[in-house]
Amino acid sequence: MTRTARFSLLVLTGVLPFVLALAFVGSERVFTAPEPETIAAATAGHLEPARLILPMSDTAVVPAPYVTRQSESPATFRPIRIGALAMSMAALTFIAYRLSRRHWTDALRRVLREGRVTPELQPVLSEVREFVDRLRAHERTEDSPWNASRLSDLVRTSLLGERVIVLANREPVIHVRTETGDVATTHPASGLVTALEPIVAACSGVWVAHGSGSADRDLVDSRDGLDIPAGDPSYRLRRVWLTQEEEQGYYYGFANEGLWPLCHLAHVRPVFRLDDLHAYWQINDRFAEAAAHEARTDSPIILVQDYHFALAPRILRERLPRATIVTFWHIPWPNAESFGICPWSKHLLEGLLGSSILGFHTQTHCNNFLDTVDRTLEAHVDRENGAVTYAGRRVLVRAYPISVQWPSRWSDGAPDIATCRRLVREQLGIEPETRIALGVDRLDYTKGIEEKLSSVERLLESHPELRGEFVFVQLAAPSRERLPAYQQLGTRVREIVARVNGRFGQDGYQPIVLLEQHHEPTDVYRFMRAADVCYVSSLHDGMNLVAKEFVGAREDERGVLVLSAFTGAARELSDAIVVNPYDIEAGARALAFALTMSEEEQRDRMGHMRAHVAYHNAYRWAGTMLTDAARLRDRERRIARQTSHSMAYETT
């Protein structure tokens, strides 16, 4: 027992009864005074001491003379007793304060001199350390740029070199067998890959993904992995194999016929089938097992990516209870009512709450998630601090706006702007001075491609002077072609292109060029550098990295970005021309304004956007998440040490 505790016990057992007795004696008690004849008789000894009845039916036997004196002079004694009581309590309080403060300061001096920490001082020091860590992290975050080197240093120092494992459905490198029997390497059209690959490389981590290429099995080692790139590896790629039936149920079924339309306001009805759920659960378990096998310790850092793996965090938590699991949801999170459409929404939420930290692009999506948990589960939702406590675990919910690598890795060896403009126009067979507006999308119903092409049609109707002087180029990467909704979208897009070209095309001039095929990142980068305008028309998007990639490609500070208001990027890139893609007239006006914008205004707008993206790059996105993860791991270690010290102290 500490000295403070022993002193408090002394006060309770020794001094407090004295104070209470003093209070009892000094309390106001009203006695019934006897008659004068009774007093005289009692004084002469003829009567026994008076038995006086008190107001509360208590009885007290006291000498009658004392009663007389008490009754005659209450005003004299009462203030003295009250004053004495107050002074006694003040003195006791002051003594207790001095002794407790003295003990606390002595303990603090011992910490500074000897490094010894007593259990009662441990919480204070923990709070101080956490505050200092936050200040240092804030200074580092605000005052210095994030790059690959700094991210690598963070993993080595703050995370003690712990292995970083990324769990994602899409692999960054796909190996396919060509018609000639050779193996070709392709890179998928994916914003997730664009953001994550430089992060995994900087951390020398492991990427666990579905091996989808026709030649993927031919290049892996005995543990289904390979080094990327071969010969000079930056990270390890671990491939997970799926049968066609499993891919149909897990990926095309539950993930993309169910969760994808559920989370996007694009007016496609979600479809949920029990067999798809079983496949989704089975594949989440398989990916979690692969990630656990890649861990070197029982406390790895695992970054779970996107809606394909809503159940994986809880499965990983059961396999690796001490792991730090950071889950990032790349698509929008709908409101609670919409998410409740899913018949198994509770299972998905419980799966996600196996995470240590759960990240979204925007605070709106965080708020929607908290609302959903509050409505669906019996959990404590802390909106002020952005946290959920469920099943005895606390999960942080944070907004981490994703971004792109800066500078772009595709800039190395890329042709200059003038060369890109010439090469692209030669490739398309258009005149050198023809202005180009560009769209870069997967062929997906959430990307607003139909609305975008309709705005181009309206532009040509309202501005006939642009006919023959302007071409809209749409790069459309095929996507999820097995699903009817995507097949129907492709048909509608091709019909719009044919109609517009039929109306306004002449003498070899086609106002819309649809390139419906996969393009390597270097090709996309070249088109972005050659374009005068880039139009991102998503109907609902978590972030949309095409907008930031276009900004990153334009070191000449030229080009205009037309950006949908329904993207996360619109919250950051305020110097873009922000439009509602459903408003066809507004889209046409925005394109006309962009095509005629002065060079001075282009430089001003693009300069501001480039400064923002350069500062808020992909390394900062990952660094902020990993900094929070490191802080959380430190806190858990301090709590464990504090608990251990307290238990050891109590046993002594």
Side-chain angles (χ1 to χ4, degrees), residues 128-140:
V128 171
R129 288 194 187 103
E130 187 171 350
F131 178 70
V132 172
D133 289 343
R134 285 200 301 268
L135 284 179
R136 289 175 176 170
H138 178 76
E139 290 175 357
R140 288 196 302 266

PDB file of all heavy atoms in Angstrom, residues 128-140:
ATOM      1  N   VAL A 128       1.559  11.429 -21.108  1.00  0.00           N
ATOM      2  CA  VAL A 128       2.576  12.392 -21.545  1.00  0.00           C
ATOM      3  C   VAL A 128       3.307  11.864 -22.772  1.00  0.00           C
ATOM      4  O   VAL A 128       3.531  12.593 -23.753  1.00  0.00           O
ATOM      5  CB  VAL A 128       3.557  12.695 -20.398  1.00  0.00           C
ATOM      6  CG1 VAL A 128       4.734  13.516 -20.915  1.00  0.00           C
ATOM      7  CG2 VAL A 128       2.856  13.437 -19.274  1.00  0.00           C
ATOM      8  N   ARG A 129       3.706  10.583 -22.716  1.00  0.00           N
ATOM      9  CA  ARG A 129       4.408  10.001 -23.864  1.00  0.00           C
ATOM     10  C   ARG A 129       3.531  10.042 -25.114  1.00  0.00           C
ATOM     11  O   ARG A 129       4.006  10.366 -26.204  1.00  0.00           O
ATOM     12  CB  ARG A 129       4.791   8.550 -23.547  1.00  0.00           C
ATOM     13  CG  ARG A 129       5.908   8.391 -22.537  1.00  0.00           C
ATOM     14  CD  ARG A 129       6.431   6.968 -22.556  1.00  0.00           C
ATOM     15  NE  ARG A 129       7.379   6.727 -21.488  1.00  0.00           N
ATOM     16  CZ  ARG A 129       7.094   6.068 -20.378  1.00  0.00           C
ATOM     17  NH1 ARG A 129       5.880   5.581 -20.196  1.00  0.00           N
ATOM     18  NH2 ARG A 129       8.006   5.887 -19.448  1.00  0.00           N
ATOM     19  N   GLU A 130       2.262   9.687 -24.970  1.00  0.00           N
ATOM     20  CA  GLU A 130       1.370   9.692 -26.119  1.00  0.00           C
ATOM     21  C   GLU A 130       1.211  11.099 -26.688  1.00  0.00           C
ATOM     22  O   GLU A 130       1.187  11.297 -27.907  1.00  0.00           O
ATOM     23  CB  GLU A 130       0.009   9.124 -25.716  1.00  0.00           C
ATOM     24  CG  GLU A 130      -0.934   8.920 -26.885  1.00  0.00           C
ATOM     25  CD  GLU A 130      -2.187   8.164 -26.487  1.00  0.00           C
ATOM     26  OE1 GLU A 130      -2.238   7.640 -25.357  1.00  0.00           O
ATOM     27  OE2 GLU A 130      -3.117   8.126 -27.308  1.00  0.00           O
ATOM     28  N   PHE A 131       1.130  12.105 -25.807  1.00  0.00           N
ATOM     29  CA  PHE A 131       1.007  13.486 -26.270  1.00  0.00           C
ATOM     30  C   PHE A 131       2.265  13.919 -27.018  1.00  0.00           C
ATOM     31  O   PHE A 131       2.188  14.548 -28.081  1.00  0.00           O
ATOM     32  CB  PHE A 131       0.762  14.393 -25.067  1.00  0.00           C
ATOM     33  CG  PHE A 131       0.661  15.854 -25.427  1.00  0.00           C
ATOM     34  CD1 PHE A 131      -0.421  16.339 -26.133  1.00  0.00           C
ATOM     35  CD2 PHE A 131       1.669  16.733 -25.059  1.00  0.00           C
ATOM     36  CE1 PHE A 131      -0.513  17.680 -26.473  1.00  0.00           C
ATOM     37  CE2 PHE A 131       1.595  18.075 -25.397  1.00  0.00           C
ATOM     38  CZ  PHE A 131       0.498  18.546 -26.104  1.00  0.00           C
ATOM     39  N   VAL A 132       3.427  13.574 -26.481  1.00  0.00           N
ATOM     40  CA  VAL A 132       4.685  13.931 -27.152  1.00  0.00           C
ATOM     41  C   VAL A 132       4.788  13.226 -28.499  1.00  0.00           C
ATOM     42  O   VAL A 132       5.216  13.811 -29.501  1.00  0.00           O
ATOM     43  CB  VAL A 132       5.882  13.587 -26.246  1.00  0.00           C
ATOM     44  CG1 VAL A 132       7.189  13.761 -27.010  1.00  0.00           C
ATOM     45  CG2 VAL A 132       5.882  14.469 -25.009  1.00  0.00           C
ATOM     46  N   ASP A 133       4.381  11.940 -28.552  1.00  0.00           N
ATOM     47  CA  ASP A 133       4.411  11.213 -29.818  1.00  0.00           C
ATOM     48  C   ASP A 133       3.513  11.867 -30.854  1.00  0.00           C
ATOM     49  O   ASP A 133       3.871  11.967 -32.030  1.00  0.00           O
ATOM     50  CB  ASP A 133       3.981   9.756 -29.597  1.00  0.00           C
ATOM     51  CG  ASP A 133       5.023   8.950 -28.839  1.00  0.00           C
ATOM     52  OD1 ASP A 133       6.177   9.408 -28.769  1.00  0.00           O
ATOM     53  OD2 ASP A 133       4.676   7.874 -28.313  1.00  0.00           O
ATOM     54  N   ARG A 134       2.341  12.319 -30.416  1.00  0.00           N
ATOM     55  CA  ARG A 134       1.433  12.984 -31.348  1.00  0.00           C
ATOM     56  C   ARG A 134       2.040  14.275 -31.873  1.00  0.00           C
ATOM     57  O   ARG A 134       1.918  14.600 -33.054  1.00  0.00           O
ATOM     58  CB  ARG A 134       0.090  13.260 -30.681  1.00  0.00           C
ATOM     59  CG  ARG A 134      -0.790  12.043 -30.505  1.00  0.00           C
ATOM     60  CD  ARG A 134      -2.249  12.448 -30.306  1.00  0.00           C
ATOM     61  NE  ARG A 134      -2.410  13.307 -29.147  1.00  0.00           N
ATOM     62  CZ  ARG A 134      -2.688  12.888 -27.929  1.00  0.00           C
ATOM     63  NH1 ARG A 134      -2.813  11.594 -27.704  1.00  0.00           N
ATOM     64  NH2 ARG A 134      -2.848  13.729 -26.924  1.00  0.00           N
ATOM     65  N   LEU A 135       2.692  15.033 -30.986  1.00  0.00           N
ATOM     66  CA  LEU A 135       3.329  16.276 -31.421  1.00  0.00           C
ATOM     67  C   LEU A 135       4.432  16.003 -32.437  1.00  0.00           C
ATOM     68  O   LEU A 135       4.533  16.683 -33.468  1.00  0.00           O
ATOM     69  CB  LEU A 135       3.909  17.014 -30.212  1.00  0.00           C
ATOM     70  CG  LEU A 135       2.918  17.759 -29.307  1.00  0.00           C
ATOM     71  CD1 LEU A 135       3.663  18.408 -28.153  1.00  0.00           C
ATOM     72  CD2 LEU A 135       2.151  18.807 -30.096  1.00  0.00           C
ATOM     73  N   ARG A 136       5.252  14.998 -32.144  1.00  0.00           N
ATOM     74  CA  ARG A 136       6.345  14.680 -33.073  1.00  0.00           C
ATOM     75  C   ARG A 136       5.799  14.195 -34.411  1.00  0.00           C
ATOM     76  O   ARG A 136       6.302  14.579 -35.477  1.00  0.00           O
ATOM     77  CB  ARG A 136       7.247  13.622 -32.452  1.00  0.00           C
ATOM     78  CG  ARG A 136       8.084  14.140 -31.278  1.00  0.00           C
ATOM     79  CD  ARG A 136       8.859  13.009 -30.629  1.00  0.00           C
ATOM     80  NE  ARG A 136       9.728  13.506 -29.568  1.00  0.00           N
ATOM     81  CZ  ARG A 136      10.380  12.708 -28.712  1.00  0.00           C
ATOM     82  NH1 ARG A 136      10.248  11.395 -28.808  1.00  0.00           N
ATOM     83  NH2 ARG A 136      11.143  13.244 -27.772  1.00  0.00           N
ATOM     84  N   ALA A 137       4.786  13.330 -34.347  1.00  0.00           N
ATOM     85  CA  ALA A 137       4.195  12.834 -35.597  1.00  0.00           C
ATOM     86  C   ALA A 137       3.585  13.972 -36.397  1.00  0.00           C
ATOM     87  O   ALA A 137       3.693  14.021 -37.625  1.00  0.00           O
ATOM     88  CB  ALA A 137       3.139  11.771 -35.286  1.00  0.00           C
ATOM     89  N   HIS A 138       2.930  14.905 -35.698  1.00  0.00           N
ATOM     90  CA  HIS A 138       2.325  16.048 -36.388  1.00  0.00           C
ATOM     91  C   HIS A 138       3.392  16.911 -37.050  1.00  0.00           C
ATOM     92  O   HIS A 138       3.239  17.334 -38.196  1.00  0.00           O
ATOM     93  CB  HIS A 138       1.512  16.868 -35.395  1.00  0.00           C
ATOM     94  CG  HIS A 138       0.879  18.090 -36.003  1.00  0.00           C
ATOM     95  ND1 HIS A 138      -0.238  18.018 -36.809  1.00  0.00           N
ATOM     96  CD2 HIS A 138       1.223  19.400 -35.937  1.00  0.00           C
ATOM     97  CE1 HIS A 138      -0.555  19.234 -37.208  1.00  0.00           C
ATOM     98  NE2 HIS A 138       0.290  20.088 -36.691  1.00  0.00           N
ATOM     99  N   GLU A 139       4.500  17.142 -36.331  1.00  0.00           N
ATOM    100  CA  GLU A 139       5.573  17.952 -36.896  1.00  0.00           C
ATOM    101  C   GLU A 139       6.171  17.283 -38.119  1.00  0.00           C
ATOM    102  O   GLU A 139       6.421  17.911 -39.146  1.00  0.00           O
ATOM    103  CB  GLU A 139       6.649  18.196 -35.833  1.00  0.00           C
ATOM    104  CG  GLU A 139       6.198  19.131 -34.713  1.00  0.00           C
ATOM    105  CD  GLU A 139       7.248  19.243 -33.624  1.00  0.00           C
ATOM    106  OE1 GLU A 139       8.278  18.536 -33.744  1.00  0.00           O
ATOM    107  OE2 GLU A 139       7.041  20.010 -32.670  1.00  0.00           O
ATOM    108  N   ARG A 140       6.389  15.946 -38.016  1.00  0.00           N
ATOM    109  CA  ARG A 140       6.952  15.242 -39.160  1.00  0.00           C
ATOM    110  C   ARG A 140       5.994  15.271 -40.348  1.00  0.00           C
ATOM    111  O   ARG A 140       6.391  15.471 -41.488  1.00  0.00           O
ATOM    112  CB  ARG A 140       7.271  13.791 -38.780  1.00  0.00           C
ATOM    113  CG  ARG A 140       8.460  13.635 -37.859  1.00  0.00           C
ATOM    114  CD  ARG A 140       8.934  12.197 -37.841  1.00  0.00           C
ATOM    115  NE  ARG A 140       7.881  11.285 -37.417  1.00  0.00           N
ATOM    116  CZ  ARG A 140       7.708  10.877 -36.167  1.00  0.00           C
ATOM    117  NH1 ARG A 140       8.507  11.326 -35.207  1.00  0.00           N
ATOM    118  NH2 ARG A 140       6.742  10.038 -35.852  1.00  0.00           N
TER     119      ARG A 140
END
